[in-house]
């Protein structure tokens, strides 16, 4: 009977877990709809501003003007220092969502170290911070509570420090890494070179572009555009990562719910077999007792 009690206790425990994972799936599904819409709208603006900045970079390379803004468009041949801003989630239970970003960052660190390039890390998200801190890797900046509730103001604060270091010469390049949203069942790692801004590789931009660009003396318009580009790139990474996080958690909780359902079925089968064996044993004992009395 003790074996039957143990099995019943296991069945109840797995069923409780199943209820929890099902509830988490429903919550993630509801949150995903809102995050997916925000990411979709942000992506349109982000792609357009990237396109505009790429064309300006192409034009500046033609003019080769020397001013304060040209620093953002001139890539150094020998890079010595690189800032990597990476975004992970503040919470777990989302499958391999966080580990994919962490693995990408580690590979980038190894590649740059092989080239003797100094790396500085700016971590957004508790899971990424915990991993690299446990590994003993120094983090220049740590941002917790941002990836779970991104706002434009938070994105401004994160990217401002990195851009200021680039302007001062403390770093030669700023790279943004996050796990982005593709659809409800898949995510994709996105690596964005924030600065320096690289011109488009397609030569057709010179003939097809409708943009007329001439460098101004004060560079006010270009400064405003660059600021929006930096800030919105960071904001889009946060929003896109949040949508991907919810989709990954929804998928992970759906798999966990199905696994729990299968486990309950297996335990019930084991319970029925054990119960049948117990009944059979009791019948044999009764029959043996009756026979011995004859």
């Amino acid at each position: 009977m003790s074996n039957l009690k143990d099995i019943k206790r296991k069945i109840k425990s797995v069923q409780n877990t199943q209820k929890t994972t099902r509830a988490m799936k429903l919550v993630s599904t509801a949150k995903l709809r809102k995050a997916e819409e925000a990411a979709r709208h942000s992506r349109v603006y982000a792609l357009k501003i990237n396109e505009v900045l790429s064309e300006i970079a192409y034009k500046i390379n033609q003019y080769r003007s020397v001013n304060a803004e040209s620093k953002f468009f001139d890539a150094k041949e020998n890079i010595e220092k690189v800032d990597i801003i990476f975004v992970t989630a503040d919470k777990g239970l989302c499958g391999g969502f966080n580990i994919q970003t962490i693995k990408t960052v580690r590979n980038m660190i190894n590649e740059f170290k092989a080239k003797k390039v100094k790396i500085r890390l700016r971590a957004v998200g508790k899971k990424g911070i915990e991993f690299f801190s446990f590994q003993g890797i120094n983090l220049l900046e740590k941002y917790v509570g941002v990836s779970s509730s991104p706002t434009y103001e938070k994105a401004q604060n994160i990217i401002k420090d990195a851009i200021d270091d680039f302007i001062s010469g403390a770093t030669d390049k700023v790279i943004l890494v996050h796990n982005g949203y593709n659809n409800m069942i898949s995510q994709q790692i996105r690596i964005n070179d924030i600065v320096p801004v690289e011109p488009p590789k397609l030569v057709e931009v010179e003939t097809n572009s409708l943009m007329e660009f001439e460098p101004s003396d004060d560079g006010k318009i270009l400064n405003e555009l660059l600021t929006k580009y930096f800030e919105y790139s960071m904001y889009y990474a946060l929003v896109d990562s949040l949508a991907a996080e919810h989709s990954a958690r929804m998928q992970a909780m759906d798999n966990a719910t199905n696994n729990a359902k299968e486990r309950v079925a297996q335990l019930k089968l084991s319970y029925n077999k054990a119960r049948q064996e117990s009944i059979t044993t009791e019948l044999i004992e009764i029959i043996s007792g009756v026979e011995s009395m004859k």
Side-chain angles (χ1 to χ4, degrees):
M1 291 298 292
S2 60
N3 187 35
L4 291 175
K5 290 181 179 179
D6 290 340
I7 295 176
K8 287 185 71 174
R9 186 165 54 249
K10 289 180 181 179
I11 291 174
K12 186 175 181 181
S13 176
V14 175
Q15 286 176 335
N16 290 336
T17 302
Q18 185 180 11
K19 291 178 182 178
T20 302
T21 55
R22 185 186 293 113
M24 292 184 66
K25 175 192 172 184
L26 294 175
V27 171
S28 295
T29 302
K31 290 183 177 181
L32 174 60
R33 292 170 184 169
K34 183 178 179 181
E36 180 185 14
E37 184 178 358
R40 186 174 65 252
H41 292 165
S42 300
R43 180 174 176 80
V44 175
Y45 185 88
L47 290 175
K48 180 55 65 176
I49 197 169
N50 285 349
E51 179 183 336
V52 171
L53 260 297
S54 295
E55 292 190 25
I56 290 178
Y58 185 88
K59 297 293 183 179
I60 284 182
N61 281 347
Q62 286 184 316
Y63 285 107
R64 302 307 301 170
S65 59
V66 179
N67 51 41
E69 294 76 27
S70 64
K71 179 180 178 64
F72 292 114
F73 301 94
D74 291 335
K76 293 179 63 175
E77 293 183 1
N78 298 320
I79 297 176
E80 299 178 357
K81 303 174 186 176
V82 174
D83 269 11
I84 299 179
I85 307 173
F86 65 94
V87 182
T88 57
D90 288 322
K91 301 176 183 178
L93 298 177
C94 47
F97 172 77
N98 291 311
I99 199 62
Q100 288 177 9
T101 305
I102 291 171
K103 184 179 179 181
T104 300
V105 173
R106 291 190 67 181
N107 291 338
M108 293 176 67
I109 291 174
N110 294 333
E111 290 176 3
F112 280 118
K113 281 186 175 180
K115 300 176 183 178
K116 297 181 179 180
V117 177
K118 183 179 178 182
I119 301 297
R120 305 194 311 176
L121 298 178
R122 300 175 187 267
V124 180
K126 186 178 180 181
K127 291 302 176 181
I129 293 172
E130 289 178 347
F131 177 86
F132 284 101
S133 297
F134 181 78
Q135 295 292 323
I137 299 176
N138 183 48
L139 297 174
L140 182 63
E141 297 288 349
K142 304 175 184 178
Y143 301 94
V144 179
V146 177
S147 56
S148 56
S149 57
T151 62
Y152 194 82
E153 290 73 19
K154 293 177 181 178
Q156 285 177 313
N157 295 332
I158 295 172
I159 201 65
K160 183 179 182 300
D161 293 336
I163 298 302
D164 288 345
D165 284 351
F166 179 83
I167 295 173
S168 65
T171 182
D172 302 322
K173 192 172 186 178
V174 178
I175 303 175
L176 180 57
V177 181
H178 76 281
N179 202 352
Y181 176 81
N182 271 352
N183 50 56
M184 295 183 71
I185 61 173
S186 68
Q187 303 81 40
Q188 182 180 9
I189 293 293
R190 308 193 200 283
I191 302 174
N192 184 13
D193 295 344
I194 300 296
V195 281
V197 181
E198 297 183 359
K201 296 179 180 179
L202 297 177
V203 182
E204 287 79 2
V205 70
E206 183 177 6
T207 56
N208 294 340
S209 175
L210 299 177
M211 180 183 297
E212 291 294 335
F213 173 80
E214 293 183 5
S216 60
D217 294 333
D218 57 2
K220 183 177 180 180
I221 296 178
L222 186 55
N223 270 332
E224 289 290 334
L225 190 58
L226 283 166
T227 301
K228 286 294 181 183
Y229 163 70
F230 299 141
E231 294 174 351
Y232 209 86
S233 294
M234 187 69 241
Y235 174 69
Y236 171 67
L238 295 175
V239 174
D240 191 36
S241 177
L242 181 60
E245 176 190 344
H246 287 316
S247 67
R249 182 172 292 109
M250 182 190 70
Q251 189 177 4
M253 291 302 99
D254 183 51
N255 292 334
T257 302
N258 293 333
N259 291 337
K261 183 178 180 180
E262 293 178 3
R263 181 57 180 161
V264 168
Q266 293 173 357
L267 288 172
K268 285 183 176 180
L269 181 62
S270 298
Y271 177 82
N272 292 333
K273 287 182 178 179
R275 184 169 177 270
Q276 187 176 20
E277 289 176 1
S278 177
I279 294 173
T280 303
T281 302
E282 290 178 1
L283 288 175
I284 293 174
E285 290 176 352
I286 293 171
I287 294 172
S288 299
V290 172
E291 289 294 330
S292 64
M293 292 174 63
K294 290 181 179 180

